[in-house]
Amino acid sequence: MKFFIDTANLQDIQEAQDLGVLDGVTTNPSLMAKEGIFGHDNVIAHYKKICEIVDGDISAEVIATDFDEIVREGEALAELHPNIVVKVPMIKEGVKAIRHFSDKGIKTNCTLVFSAGQALLAAKAGATYVSPFVGRLDDISTDGIQLIEQIVQIYSNYGYQTQVLAASVRHVMHLVQCAEVGADVVTCPLSVITGLLKHPLTDSGLKTFLADHAKGNK
């Protein structure tokens, strides 16, 4: 399973890259705003900085909601760097644009997916990635992990090449559960990735080893 980091924070991206397990980055307008990045030129410059850090797919989201503008924005984003993946919302015009991009060899990430039917449409349109939102479904008392499992099964049934990118992953158990049900990719904050390192028995075991070593050197 690939690990993507869901942020526009360059420090977090660099830290995840330095850990040696990072495969890509996902961003969106909200994450850009969180870092105080506003205005077209500033956003474009920030994407370029991310591309300099990470050698992997980097999702850059369009703002437009009509077909012609989605295509215009998406093609401009794709020209920034070979690793850019055009992130398109799961709407009618977005699905049409995904087919257009797919036919032109431009990678896409269909975002804001909350049902298996939506994921099926994205795959049929040729999306490179589909992003079901696990945490947001959990927020409304719906099983987000179950949706990931359902989409993985459907894609397996018909041999779709679209990768299931589990998004809105909020904690370590989300990540582990996504791995259990076969998600191709998980995107999450740095804290979730580093959370995988933690276990109290690891901490206590290391403390004991170091203490015993110190006794032997007295």
Side-chain angles (χ1 to χ4, degrees):
M1 185 173 70
K2 298 178 187 175
F3 283 12
F4 287 6
I5 187 170
D6 192 35
T7 187
N9 183 284
L10 296 180
Q11 184 176 344
D12 283 357
I13 293 169
Q14 186 65 64
E15 185 175 342
Q17 176 70 12
D18 291 344
L19 190 59
V21 299
L22 188 63
D23 299 294
V25 177
T26 56
T27 63
N28 59 47
S30 296
L31 292 172
M32 286 288 185
K34 184 178 178 181
E35 299 303 318
I37 302 161
F38 299 98
H40 176 267
D41 291 346
N42 291 330
V43 169
I44 295 301
H46 201 74
Y47 282 135
K48 290 179 179 178
K49 290 178 183 177
I50 295 173
C51 290
E52 291 172 1
I53 298 172
V54 181
D55 184 18
D57 284 348
I58 297 162
S59 288
E61 189 162 347
V62 300
I63 304 301
T65 56
D66 67 274
F67 174 78
D68 290 337
E69 283 301 301
I70 292 173
V71 167
R72 183 188 64 78
E73 273 190 60
E75 290 181 349
L77 288 169
E79 288 177 1
L80 293 178
H81 194 279
N83 290 350
I84 290 290
V85 177
V86 180
K87 200 172 183 183
V88 180
M90 169 40 72
I91 56 176
K92 182 178 179 180
E93 299 298 290
V95 171
K96 289 166 60 179
I98 288 169
R99 169 50 63 193
H100 170 85
F101 291 136
S102 178
D103 290 343
K104 294 193 67 173
I106 295 173
K107 293 178 288 187
T108 55
N109 177 357
C110 185
T111 190
L112 292 172
V113 169
F114 294 96
S115 74
Q118 290 178 325
L120 186 57
L121 281 175
K124 286 188 68 64
T128 311
Y129 298 99
V130 63
S131 290
F133 279 43
V134 175
R136 294 196 195 183
L137 283 169
D138 287 359
D139 288 344
I140 59 167
S141 301
T142 302
D143 192 339
I145 297 298
Q146 186 178 55
L147 175 62
I148 300 295
E149 186 174 19
Q150 188 178 19
I151 296 169
V152 168
Q153 181 62 58
I154 290 170
Y155 285 5
S156 176
N157 287 347
Y158 300 103
Y160 288 120
Q161 297 303 303
T162 301
Q163 297 181 56
V164 180
L165 193 165
S168 188
V169 169
R170 296 177 177 167
H171 49 71
V172 170
M173 281 310 300
H174 268 164
L175 191 155
V176 172
Q177 289 168 331
C178 286
E180 286 178 332
V181 299
D184 299 291
V185 190
V186 64
T187 188
C188 56
L190 176 62
S191 59
V192 176
I193 296 174
T194 56
L196 293 169
L197 294 165
K198 300 174 183 178
H199 196 285
L201 292 180
T202 301
D203 296 339
S204 62
L206 181 58
K207 183 178 180 180
T208 299
F209 294 158
L210 293 176
D212 289 344
H213 174 73
K215 290 175 185 176
N217 286 317
K218 285 182 178 179

